Every structure is written in C-alpha cells, then in structure tokens.
Amino acid sequence: MSLAYLDCEGRLAIHHEHLVSPSDVMCLVALLRVCRAHQAGRVKDLAEELGVTEARVCATLNHLQERGSVELRQDGGVLLTPSGIALAHCAVRRFETLKTLLLVVLGFDEADAERDASHMGHAVSLSTLNRMAGFLERLEEGRSVELDDLRETFRAHPVACSERESELY
C-alpha cells in the first residue's frame, strides 16, 4: 500500500508501506563508513562494525539489495548504490541533527546525546526533524529564534535532506 502526500516543497510524493527499517539504516550507515576506509564493504567487517552476526548482516544486505540500495558483488564485496548513499547520508544527517540539538541546545553530555539521538532517530518524523534542523541552522547563523519568526520560517522554507529521506523508518 502507498499513500500520496505533498512533500516539504509542495511536490506530490509517495509514502511507501515498505520503509527502510532501523536495522537496514544502521547497515547502510555502517557500509558508508566501511566504504570510506576500503573500496567495498565485506560482510565480516559490517558484522563487526554493527556487533551482530554475519547471518544477520547477510539477511539485511539481501533486503537492501532488493530495494536497490546496495550491490552485492561476485567477489563478496558490498557497495552502496546512489540510492543507498542518499539514504545513508540522510540517516547520518538525522542522527547529527538530533545529537547537535541535544548537545548544544539542551546541554547533554556527548555519550547521552549519542545514545538518545540514536534512539530518537528511529522515531522522530521527517517534519519534526526538518524543523529541528531549521532551528539549529538559525542558531548557527545568529538569526532570530523567536517563536513567531520560527513558525513563519518553517512554513515558508522547510529544510530537507533529499526526497529519499521520506523512506527512512
């Protein structure tokens, strides 16, 4: 089942029933990190990075391959597709936005901010995340964070990672 809706920029978008799960997202982000250090990821490296079994990684990679997010090579290597890269970057943005909000605005310590941002990232809506990102952007730029100014900004100019972000969670 799919639902049509207007995205942040007023374009018609489709919200798919089969969204990327939290474990899929964790695998995509881990693969992004591994691929930065090596040409391609390997199941063993991903299992170590994620602290899960190789069988679990294989199952997740198969699902991500079906979605078109990863490419499984004959030599056992794993690569992110452009779609997978976009999703991984959006997931990193989601985590970093939440972590920054917790650290900078709410004064959390680093460990608590990382743990809570990781948990919150799976639950917060795209609309909420985009407003948090917009708030942080205004703070960084030294612009007004008065409530009326914020509301007007969010109505007129929502902040989005990419159209792929609506597939997360």
Side-chain angles (χ1 to χ4, degrees):
M1 178 180 168
S2 298
L3 300 173
Y5 68 99
L6 293 179
D7 69 8
C8 294
E9 296 171 1
R11 298 178 304 211
L12 185 63
I14 304 297
H15 181 82
H16 301 283
E17 181 181 73
H18 303 290
L19 300 178
V20 181
S21 72
S23 61
D24 290 348
V25 171
M26 290 171 54
C27 190
L28 288 170
V29 171
L31 184 55
L32 183 67
R33 282 193 298 266
V34 168
C35 286
R36 285 182 180 152
H38 309 286
Q39 241 181 358
R42 296 181 311 160
V43 171
K44 179 181 177 184
D45 297 333
L46 292 170
E48 286 177 18
E49 174 91 12
L50 294 167
V52 298
T53 66
E54 289 183 26
R56 179 68 190 128
V57 169
C58 286
T60 301
L61 289 174
N62 286 331
H63 180 251
L64 289 170
Q65 183 181 29
E66 290 171 7
R67 291 185 54 80
S69 298
V70 300
E71 176 187 328
L72 303 179
R73 297 187 336 194
Q74 293 287 36
D75 66 1
V78 183
L79 297 173
L80 287 165
T81 64
S83 171
I85 292 169
L87 284 171
H89 281 293
C90 287
V92 169
R93 171 190 175 261
R94 177 178 285 265
F95 171 79
E96 291 299 327
T97 297
L98 292 165
K99 179 181 167 187
T100 301
L101 185 74
L102 294 171
L103 284 170
V104 173
V105 177
L106 301 177
F108 279 58
D109 66 48
E110 184 90 14
D112 287 342
E114 285 193 13
R115 182 194 65 242
D116 289 353
S118 179
H119 293 295
M120 291 167 62
H122 303 300
V124 70
S125 73
L126 180 57
S127 174
T128 298
L129 181 82
N130 288 336
R131 289 174 187 231
M132 289 175 177
F135 175 76
L136 291 171
E137 189 176 287
R138 288 182 75 90
L139 276 180
E140 289 172 5
E141 294 172 355
R143 294 176 24 218
S144 171
V145 290
E146 294 292 322
L147 192 54
D148 288 338
D149 293 338
L150 287 172
R151 286 183 180 148
E152 181 57 35
T153 296
F154 296 146
R155 276 192 290 272
H157 305 289
V159 179
C161 181
S162 80
E163 59 192 45
R164 305 296 301 189
E165 191 167 18
S166 65
E167 295 179 32
L168 295 174
Y169 314 108

